[in-house]
Amino acid sequence: MQSTARSFKDNVDTALADPNLQDSLSKLKVGFSERRRQAAERLPEFEALRDRARDIKNHALANLDFYLEEFERKVTALGGHVHWAPTADDARRIIADLCRSIGARTVAKSKSMVAEEIGLNEHLEALGIAPIETDLGEYIIQLRHEPPSHIIAPAVHLTKDQVADTFLEHHSKLGFTRRLTERNDLVAEARAVLRQKFLDADVGLTGANFLVAETGSSMLVTNEGNADLSNTLPRMHIVLASIEKVIPTLEDAAVLLRVLARSATGQESSAYTTLNTGPKRPGDLDGPEQYHVVILDNGRSSVLGTEMQDMLRCIRCGACMNHCPVYGAIGGHAYGWVYPGPIGAVLTPQLLGVEEAANLPNASTFCGRCESVCPVRIPLPGLMRHWREREFERHLTPKAIRQGLALWGFMARRPRLYRRMTALANRLLALLGRAEGRYRTLPLAGGWTRFRDFPAPPAGGTFHAQWRRRKP
Amino acid sequence: MALFVTCLVDLFRPSVGFAAVKLLEEAGCTVEVPPLQVCCGQPAYNSGDRATTRAIAAQVVEAFDGYDAVVAPSGSCAGMLTHHYPSLFEDDPAMQARAKNLADRSHELTSFLVDVLGMTKVAARYDGVATYHDSCSGLRELGVKQQPRRLLASVEGLELREMTSPEVCCGFGGTFCVKYPEISNAMVGEKSADIAAAGADTLLAGDLGCLMNMAGKLQREGRAVRVRHVAEVLAGLGDEAPIGEPGGSRR
Ligand code: SF4
């Protein structure tokens, strides 16, 4: 997927001026966080489970090579194949080759953020292979030629009316001329339109929430059961996942599933949890003839063993964005690439480079709400600060900010000089603001006074000046 | 014990510092204000300038050496001292030990009054309906939530009315509010609407940065809400002119 992270500030302006987006966001902000809160309250051991989830992922990451090899051994023993893709290019090529090896014309896909990351749909289309999205949200944005705006709810930026219009526009020529607005009706209509295509698909492609080393299984959760259309009907099933998805055991998966659904949607568990373990065996009623797992690195392994490794614990639940006031103001598209919100602000600079994504880790107040809900306790603000430090070291921080900081830093390290300067500033500000108690404009503070007044200090001097007068 | 005035209180709202002193002295503390203190260093820290942050942090550690407690009328600055200073000196064990020692002695004001001194009530009066905003660092780093509410409940004449989302960030974020003014504005706009919907005539919080941000927005929108630091109300200095309103200091 093409990144627009560089034009973050323009993206923000667009997002803030979009009434449909703002309408959708106002619903998301209360809905998701309230449901998560209730789910967490209903489970007394939730906080302890978060600790276990963190520990499981940490253990898996510390022994990643071992578990990945174990996973490969198991998959191979089951008659499947594991393909290693160091880069996005490699992953695209491997998948295209697999599709062409059976002369595939269509690929039934279930939602996969890694597929977005490698720009799979565009690539397949260019080769004359049609990707068919089986997830409702993905299908909607595919019709609208839009990227996802949320990692678990790709079309969350759209209002029901927008979806209804999109369906009417694309489906009426197929005989579906009623304008639908209920979610279940929309799912049913999408199914009806796509059913034959699902049945005819040559390849099924799914993402994976977890790769279980112990059994060689890939595990996938959905609420629509759509993944099962991708992995049972077609002749070939391709799982596309990144390296950090591997975990040791099914027992571990059970722990992670318990925190995943609660954090994501506030459900006790997702409606469908599917395990895929190898191709169809002799005597099986259904299942794919070929089973392939494509495992993508794309820059992740370089984080292993560094202070940034924590970001690889992410289980893509979306809670950090659901609780982020910045995401809540601007939505997912403004972040400019596949992963929005706090995890995007941490992951995107790693995957695309800090020059490309320089704004993302800066566009945060460090309010810490993301960290407080992350099921695997990723210190998201701390990781964003890490990127800010890399940017500062590499002189990517805007010049005006650097100069301002340098001046302030110089003064802050000289308390006596600082006192004299602040006493002067205080007197001046108090004098200017005497009549109103505040300013409507203030030189050098345009970013502030464009939207709000700036409170003036009362007359009488700084605290330190007054304190000296009080205690001689 | 020592008061960490914080740079914003020093420059923009000295009455918050005097309110803190009054509360602490009434609780029996001997309050000193070490002159070497300036700022906790967050502007540099949050901009990625680690070298400047370390220099400032070292100065703060020096300034507050030897006091049995260091109290700040700000969750954000107290959080900086308690949660972030030690990690600045990973490569300097001696300095890190001093930073850890300072961290152990540092407190946010209301949490110090309630959790450390065991204060349960104050002798103050304030006529009004107030709503309380939970500033982010105080809430999430230091667990400041019930302490200010508990003390406010003892203020005569004051009714506390919660807004819908008191724990959602106001959009201040230090330099964030001038680096990303449009996003900040969207956030504080929502906060302002939430405050207004609570039907309160007074907004209180424990951090001056957030208060200035919210006061500025409320005033720009023409909303009649008086904005004050919680310490002022608890100390009985609730007759100071509200933040951003005209009227001189009484001292
Ligand atoms: S960073 Fe944490 S909260 Fe955000 S998506 Fe990943 S696991 Fe969920």
Side-chain angles (χ1 to χ4, degrees):
Chain A
M1 177 180 161
Q2 197 59 43
S3 160
T4 63
R6 247 179 231 276
S7 41
F8 177 76
K9 291 198 170 185
D10 293 336
N11 301 349
V12 166
D13 291 342
T14 310
L16 289 170
D18 179 345
N20 282 322
L21 173 65
Q22 292 301 325
D23 187 29
S24 304
L25 288 172
S26 64
K27 297 196 181 82
L28 166 139
K29 271 181 278 198
V30 275
F32 272 121
S33 60
E34 187 49 27
R35 283 196 293 274
R36 180 218 172 258
R37 193 185 60 74
Q38 289 174 5
E41 267 173 16
R42 280 196 302 268
L43 188 67
E45 68 268 37
F46 187 66
E47 293 305 312
L49 278 175
R50 287 175 68 190
D51 290 340
R52 279 183 65 195
R54 173 199 57 205
D55 297 345
I56 289 168
K57 290 295 278 188
N58 275 346
H59 171 81
L61 290 171
N63 303 281
L64 197 62
D65 48 350
F66 173 80
Y67 288 116
L68 283 170
E69 281 171 15
E70 179 69 9
F71 177 78
E72 180 180 31
R73 258 197 302 280
K74 285 286 153 54
V75 172
T76 313
L78 292 160
H81 303 272
V82 169
H83 308 262
W84 302 103
T87 67
D89 247 358
D90 297 321
R92 280 193 299 263
R93 184 179 38 76
I94 292 165
I95 293 169
D97 287 351
L98 286 171
C99 291
R100 283 189 291 211
S101 72
I102 59 163
R105 305 290 305 276
T106 54
V107 174
K109 278 182 68 203
S110 77
K111 203 176 87 60
S112 156
M113 293 311 291
V114 175
E116 300 286 345
E117 179 181 330
I118 67 172
L120 184 63
N121 281 7
E122 297 85 337
H123 187 70
L124 291 177
E125 275 164 11
L127 297 172
I129 302 168
I132 308 154
E133 296 291 354
T134 61
D135 171 274
L136 178 64
E138 282 289 338
Y139 174 64
I140 294 166
I141 58 171
Q142 188 186 29
L143 288 179
R144 296 173 61 94
H145 303 287
E146 286 173 358
S149 67
H150 189 288
I151 61 175
I152 66 161
V156 75
H157 57 285
L158 299 171
T159 61
K160 263 190 198 162
D161 279 327
Q162 286 175 293
V163 176
D165 292 342
T166 303
F167 270 37
L168 197 61
E169 179 192 337
H170 289 268
H171 293 164
S172 56
K173 55 181 178 286
L174 305 169
F176 298 92
T177 49
R178 250 181 68 221
R179 188 171 178 281
L180 304 171
T181 50
E182 284 311 310
R183 184 186 162 83
N184 287 344
D185 297 340
L186 290 164
V187 176
E189 182 172 305
R191 286 264 167 86
V193 169
L194 293 169
R195 183 163 293 130
Q196 201 52 45
K197 292 190 187 173
F198 292 162
L199 293 172
D200 293 345
D202 306 299
V203 173
L205 188 134
T206 63
N209 291 89
F210 307 107
L211 302 174
V212 184
E214 171 185 49
T215 57
S217 312
S218 70
M219 185 180 264
L220 197 63
V221 299
T222 69
N223 277 324
E224 293 162 21
N226 56 305
D228 301 350
L229 289 171
S230 318
N231 58 27
T232 46
L233 300 176
R235 282 183 286 155
M236 176 189 278
H237 178 197
I238 302 175
V239 178
L240 173 60
S242 46
I243 53 170
E244 80 280 15
K245 292 288 184 299
V246 76
I247 55 169
T249 65
L250 282 172
E251 181 100 21
D252 295 330
V255 173
L256 292 164
L257 285 175
R258 294 180 79 193
V259 292
L260 172 61
R262 287 180 171 86
S263 303
T265 54
Q267 293 164 284
E268 321 269 274
S269 71
S270 304
Y272 297 84
T273 300
T274 308
L275 279 154
N276 292 290
T277 313
K280 181 176 178 173
R281 294 165 303 187
D284 279 355
L285 287 178
D286 49 22
E289 287 154 26
Q290 293 190 37
Y291 177 72
H292 299 272
V293 186
V294 179
I295 301 182
L296 176 75
D297 182 341
N298 208 21
R300 287 168 174 79
S301 57
S302 65
V303 189
L304 289 169
T306 73
E307 48 186 339
M308 299 296 279
Q309 178 173 306
D310 292 343
M311 72 168 85
L312 297 183
R313 285 206 297 272
C314 177
I315 55 173
R316 303 284 188 271
C317 72
C320 55
M321 53 205 77
N322 296 341
H323 291 78
C324 175
V326 173
Y327 180 96
I330 63 176
H333 287 158
Y335 291 81
W337 198 54
V338 182
Y339 303 102
I343 186 62
V346 168
L347 214 49
T348 308
Q350 175 63 33
L351 298 180
L352 296 184
V354 67
E355 289 86 354
E356 176 67 30
N359 268 300
L360 306 189
N362 283 289
S364 160
T365 61
F366 285 158
C367 80
R369 210 166 166 224
C370 49
E371 183 175 0
S372 75
V373 297
C374 174
V376 284
R377 302 199 191 279
I378 298 175
L380 292 152
L383 296 177
M384 284 183 232
R385 176 177 288 111
H386 166 95
W387 285 122
R388 296 187 192 183
E389 289 174 358
R390 296 296 84 75
E391 289 177 29
F392 191 86
E393 280 164 12
R394 291 166 63 176
H395 298 267
L396 297 171
T397 313
K399 204 169 156 202
I401 293 175
R402 293 185 75 89
Q403 288 175 343
L405 265 181
L407 180 66
W408 168 86
F410 179 86
M411 303 240 301
R413 274 173 288 171
R414 289 161 182 77
R416 288 162 59 97
L417 174 68
Y418 183 89
R419 294 274 176 268
R420 281 205 295 278
M421 298 304 288
T422 45
L424 207 68
N426 172 277
R427 200 160 343 134
L428 194 69
L429 288 168
L431 201 67
L432 286 173
R434 195 173 37 186
E436 304 232 18
R438 55 186 184 265
Y439 330 97
R440 293 186 69 85
T441 60
L442 195 65
L444 303 177
W448 180 293
T449 53
R450 185 141 51 99
F451 299 111
R452 51 217 132 180
D453 294 351
F454 194 97
T462 64
F463 178 88
H464 285 287
Q466 294 187 44
W467 181 258
R468 267 202 312 275
R469 288 203 290 274
R470 172 181 141 155
K471 298 247 159 115
Chain B
M1 58 149 303
L3 180 72
F4 185 15
V5 181
T6 78
C7 56
L8 287 179
V9 166
D10 177 42
L11 184 56
F12 290 105
R13 193 77 182 166
S15 54
V16 174
F18 287 105
V21 171
K22 185 158 179 258
L23 285 164
L24 291 164
E25 285 182 345
E26 281 170 6
C29 301
T30 310
V31 183
E32 289 186 37
V33 182
L36 191 61
Q37 61 173 298
V38 171
C39 167
C40 66
Q42 277 192 83
Y45 188 49
N46 292 341
S47 304
D49 182 354
R50 210 172 166 86
T52 304
T53 314
R54 276 168 61 120
I56 292 172
Q59 185 175 290
V60 172
V61 170
E62 184 68 40
F64 292 104
D65 225 7
Y67 293 97
D68 52 0
V70 178
V71 174
S74 157
S76 168
C77 309
M80 179 70 183
L81 269 55
T82 57
H83 281 59
H84 299 279
Y85 271 18
S87 71
L88 288 169
F89 302 103
E90 304 269 284
D91 56 352
D92 183 346
M95 197 55 218
Q96 189 175 42
R98 293 180 69 194
K100 278 199 179 124
N101 181 276
L102 173 64
D104 292 342
R105 290 179 285 128
S106 301
H107 307 270
E108 182 275 340
L109 176 67
T110 61
S111 140
F112 183 74
L113 293 174
V114 173
D115 302 335
V116 179
L117 299 182
M119 189 183 274
T120 54
K121 56 183 192 318
V122 292
R125 175 165 193 98
Y126 185 85
D127 292 305
V129 179
T131 192
Y132 190 88
H133 165 74
D134 296 292
S135 290
C136 299
S137 309
L139 175 70
R140 280 178 271 269
E141 287 184 339
L142 306 174
V144 177
K145 175 80 190 178
Q146 292 314 322
Q147 302 89 327
R149 287 176 173 77
R150 192 144 163 214
L151 296 180
L152 283 170
S154 71
V155 173
E156 258 178 86
L158 181 141
E159 182 197 333
L160 192 66
R161 223 177 266 169
E162 297 287 351
M163 57 185 115
T164 310
S165 306
E167 298 186 356
V168 171
C169 179
C170 74
F172 172 62
T175 50
F176 171 85
C177 70
V178 284
K179 277 195 290 185
Y180 299 94
E182 295 83 4
I183 306 177
S184 175
N185 176 50
M187 290 163 70
V188 73
E190 209 164 302
K191 182 55 79 174
S192 158
D194 196 5
I195 293 164
D201 58 48
T202 300
L203 169 69
L204 302 176
D207 272 85
L208 189 55
C210 315
L211 286 164
M212 289 172 69
N213 179 43
M214 292 183 287
K217 188 65 188 176
L218 288 162
Q219 284 155 354
R220 180 64 59 92
E221 290 179 341
R223 299 194 198 264
V225 178
R226 298 173 282 167
V227 182
R228 302 178 189 283
H229 191 286
V230 65
E232 297 173 313
V233 169
L234 294 178
L237 302 184
D239 51 356
E240 289 280 333
I243 294 169
E245 297 294 345
S249 169
R250 247 150 273 272
R251 270 174 310 276

